[in-house]
Amino acid sequence: MAIDNLVVETTYGPVRGALVGPSAGPPAGDVKAWKGVRYGAPPVGELRFRRPEPPRRWTDVADATDFGPVCPQPAFPNMPLDLGAPQGDDCLRLNVWAPADARPGDAKPVMVWLHGGAYVLGSSSQALYDGRRLAGSGDVIVVTVNYRVGALGFVDLSSFGRRFDSNVGLRDVLAALGWVADNIAAFGGDPRRVTLFGESAGAGIVTTLLACPAAEGLFAGAIAQSSPATSVYDRVRARRVADALLDKLGLAPSEADKLCELPMAAILSVSQQVFDEVPVNFPGRLAFVPIVDGDLLDDYPVRLAQAGRSLPVPLIVGTNRNEAALFRLMRSPLMPITPSAITSMFDEIAAEQPDLQLPTEEEIGSAYSRLRRRARSLSIATDVGFRMPSVWLAEGHARVAPVYLYRFDYATPLLKLLMVRAAHATELPYVWGTLGAPKDPTLKLGGTRAALAVSKRVRTRWVNFARRAEPAGPAGEPHWAPYQRPERACLIIDRRDTVAHDVDADIRAAWGSEMVSFR
């Protein structure tokens, strides 16, 4: 395909993209982009809570120069987001970025991104995930995916009849990966070298799909940034959420079919109420998450990994050092960041799983005794929500494939002043090369040179992992060895990269290895 020919024939019809300039920052080449490409039919009417169906085939060249609609979602005042595109039902879209010289047959590495947002918000068109920098400087094909969120993607209605499917948000991602397998070669990518990567809820989908037989062969590597890997629940918990949703809508279980006809505004309003109430009533728990449905998922992903039953693909997995600080800053109840919330969480665990030999709150607290009271609560929240699930996953998955564990510690002067430091999601502009974008305030108090150097190292390692399944850094940087016992290597990403050994020994000893389904 010549550079000036931006029309690509997909399995559903031709699409025309655009040549876009490099993003702000250090030099990067021009990039081609195709935006808003359909991979699924609009999930409306009978399809609202069903697995995605293929889109209708088209013959005229479809314009792919603007982002498509994003999944309908409520607005959360404490989590303001610019979604980058209007909301709409026809949201099963994806975006492709490729180097300007990419041609069919080039077989470049492919990186498929899943956005975060607590399973209830976010989109592939957020400015943070502009693929120009990663594609242009890394010589890779980048794909960002919309999937259904909130009640539309992660409420389980399947117990109410055959009209509903389970885990439809996961099924959206599987459909998008199927589209990549069938079409990415036409954009210059290699369908055999697809790396699935995501952050927060997006990383949760990544780690969940590692446990799904249906995902086998759809990706050859995975990167999970701050995955809530244990936030996968059983049908009992899922049914409580579904019942609460119906009750607030004034519907009996026998009337669940009416959900397909209700105005979207009513569903969003009620789902927001359920989302807000669940972590208040049950600290540490989310309302809308993947579930063990006996179809896509037979068991909890961490438990399957510990049994050596996850998909044997290389994995990068890690967290940020101060994850919970973001939730304190936003005054969000999503994480148990106060002593009372942590106590409530432990009480709930004991009541719900009386036969499970769990460490007590006091035993856990002893691992954090060197910290002040508020810092102790934040550290416990960070570890219960993100760090320990990632460590448990690494311990298990290392039995079937190479695992590379990291911890992101770097913080700019502004983030240090705000006392959030390396909080949840602060690594994102480093991965994407979007530092200093118009709505990114992290460099307001300086630190640009050091931050750009961190970003270059992270992107180099991520791209090299996608290219050859090994996260090598730039020349002269330390070798990042796979996570293996007893060394348990961990890359510490800070002003300088260092490799440490068994940095999680204290908390691993405190938390144990049995709490794989406690959240």
Side-chain angles (χ1 to χ4, degrees):
M1 174 171 55
I3 292 179
D4 61 349
N5 184 354
L6 295 165
V7 176
V8 174
E9 187 71 40
T10 75
T11 50
Y12 300 118
V15 293
R16 175 181 282 109
L19 188 66
V20 296
S23 61
D30 283 347
V31 170
K32 295 178 290 190
W34 294 263
K35 300 177 180 178
V37 180
R38 285 187 179 86
Y39 71 84
V44 296
E46 293 291 324
L47 297 181
R48 178 175 276 179
F49 297 99
R50 298 297 302 268
R51 65 189 67 201
E53 294 289 335
R56 288 185 179 180
R57 183 121 178 27
W58 61 88
T59 55
D60 294 337
V61 177
D63 179 75
T65 58
D66 292 310
F67 291 117
V70 305
C71 180
Q73 54 197 265
F76 294 91
N78 60 343
M79 291 184 284
L81 281 184
D82 181 354
L83 297 172
Q87 300 180 31
D89 289 317
D90 189 8
C91 61
L92 298 185
R93 311 283 191 114
L94 52 77
N95 316 297
V96 181
W97 281 268
D101 61 354
R103 291 181 171 85
D106 281 356
K108 296 181 185 293
V110 182
M111 301 180 72
V112 178
W113 174 255
L114 305 178
H115 66 80
Y119 294 107
V120 295
L121 72 166
S123 79
S124 65
S125 49
Q126 291 172 242
L128 188 61
Y129 312 134
D130 188 320
R132 289 180 291 175
R133 186 96 190 95
L134 200 55
S137 63
D139 197 32
V140 295
I141 310 299
V142 176
V143 181
T144 61
V145 176
N146 279 350
Y147 56 89
R148 280 173 281 181
V149 296
L152 300 174
F154 293 97
V155 69
D156 181 35
L157 303 171
S158 60
S159 62
F160 298 127
R162 295 182 180 179
R163 188 171 185 174
F164 305 108
D165 288 316
S166 59
N167 284 320
V168 294
L170 295 183
R171 297 179 194 273
D172 290 346
V173 174
L174 289 172
L177 288 169
W179 183 97
V180 169
D182 293 339
N183 293 283
I184 206 64
F187 295 84
D190 186 349
R192 298 166 300 179
R193 286 197 296 167
V194 173
T195 295
L196 184 64
F197 72 134
E199 183 266 346
S200 195
I205 295 176
V206 172
T207 54
T208 301
L209 291 184
L210 283 172
C212 290
E216 186 172 7
L218 292 177
F219 55 94
I223 302 174
Q225 301 168 206
S226 304
S227 170
T230 50
S231 289
V232 177
Y233 304 153
D234 60 20
R235 284 189 174 275
V236 175
R237 285 188 178 183
R239 178 61 187 257
R240 291 175 191 159
V241 171
D243 286 342
L245 191 78
L246 290 174
D247 182 64
K248 289 180 180 297
L249 287 166
L251 298 176
S254 59
E255 299 176 296
D257 285 359
K258 293 182 179 180
L259 283 169
C260 296
E261 306 161 5
L262 288 179
M264 183 63 70
I267 292 176
L268 295 182
S269 175
V270 164
S271 67
Q272 183 173 14
Q273 295 174 41
V274 174
F275 176 79
D276 288 339
E277 291 173 3
V278 166
V280 172
N281 296 329
F282 305 97
R285 188 182 296 185
L286 298 176
F288 306 112
V289 296
I291 67 159
V292 178
D293 60 0
D295 182 9
L296 274 185
L297 194 61
D298 292 329
D299 205 342
Y300 300 104
V302 172
R303 183 176 291 166
L304 289 171
Q306 291 179 328
R309 294 172 55 197
S310 47
L311 298 181
V313 301
L315 170 68
I316 291 177
V317 62
T319 63
N320 297 353
R321 183 165 189 166
N322 313 105
E323 298 275 2
L326 177 71
F327 301 91
R328 180 189 63 187
L329 181 69
M330 298 190 307
R331 299 182 179 180
S332 168
L334 284 182
M335 293 191 73
I337 59 176
T338 65
S340 61
I342 291 171
T343 298
S344 295
M345 180 184 69
F346 275 91
D347 290 345
E348 180 202 346
I349 294 167
E352 201 171 66
Q353 304 179 63
D355 298 327
L356 192 59
Q357 295 299 312
L358 303 177
T360 65
E361 183 182 355
E362 290 73 22
E363 290 170 334
I364 295 295
S366 66
Y368 304 88
S369 58
R370 69 190 184 281
L371 301 175
R372 294 180 179 179
R373 183 176 176 85
R374 187 170 69 170
R376 186 183 310 152
S377 296
L378 288 173
S379 293
I380 290 174
T382 289
D383 293 340
V384 73
F386 299 103
R387 189 64 186 180
M388 282 312 304
S390 295
V391 170
W392 288 329
L393 191 76
E395 291 271 331
H397 194 72
R399 298 173 57 183
V400 299
V403 174
Y404 299 90
L405 180 71
Y406 76 88
R407 194 181 73 199
F408 187 87
D409 287 12
Y410 184 73
T412 62
L414 176 66
L415 296 184
K416 291 178 181 178
L417 179 66
L418 294 174
M419 298 182 66
V420 296
R421 296 185 175 269
H424 190 63
T426 57
E427 90 287 3
L428 287 172
Y430 297 85
V431 171
W432 285 91
T434 51
L435 280 164
K439 295 188 179 182
D440 174 25
T442 56
L443 300 178
K444 293 294 185 183
L445 295 183
T448 300
R449 183 175 180 180
L452 290 177
V454 172
S455 178
K456 181 180 179 180
R457 295 199 307 270
V458 171
R459 285 184 287 111
T460 298
R461 292 188 185 277
W462 266 224
V463 167
N464 282 338
F465 180 79
R467 180 170 287 117
R468 53 181 180 268
E470 184 178 347
E477 291 299 320
H479 173 65
W480 185 4
Y483 185 88
Q484 296 176 333
R485 300 180 185 181
E487 294 85 359
R488 294 181 169 92
C490 177
L491 180 72
I492 307 297
I493 302 171
D494 206 334
R495 194 176 187 90
R496 299 187 64 172
D497 284 356
T498 57
V499 176
H501 295 103
D502 209 2
V503 296
D504 304 297
D506 289 348
I507 61 171
R508 199 180 65 253
W511 288 99
S513 60
E514 296 183 272
M515 297 173 66
V516 297
S517 61
F518 68 97
R519 293 187 71 213

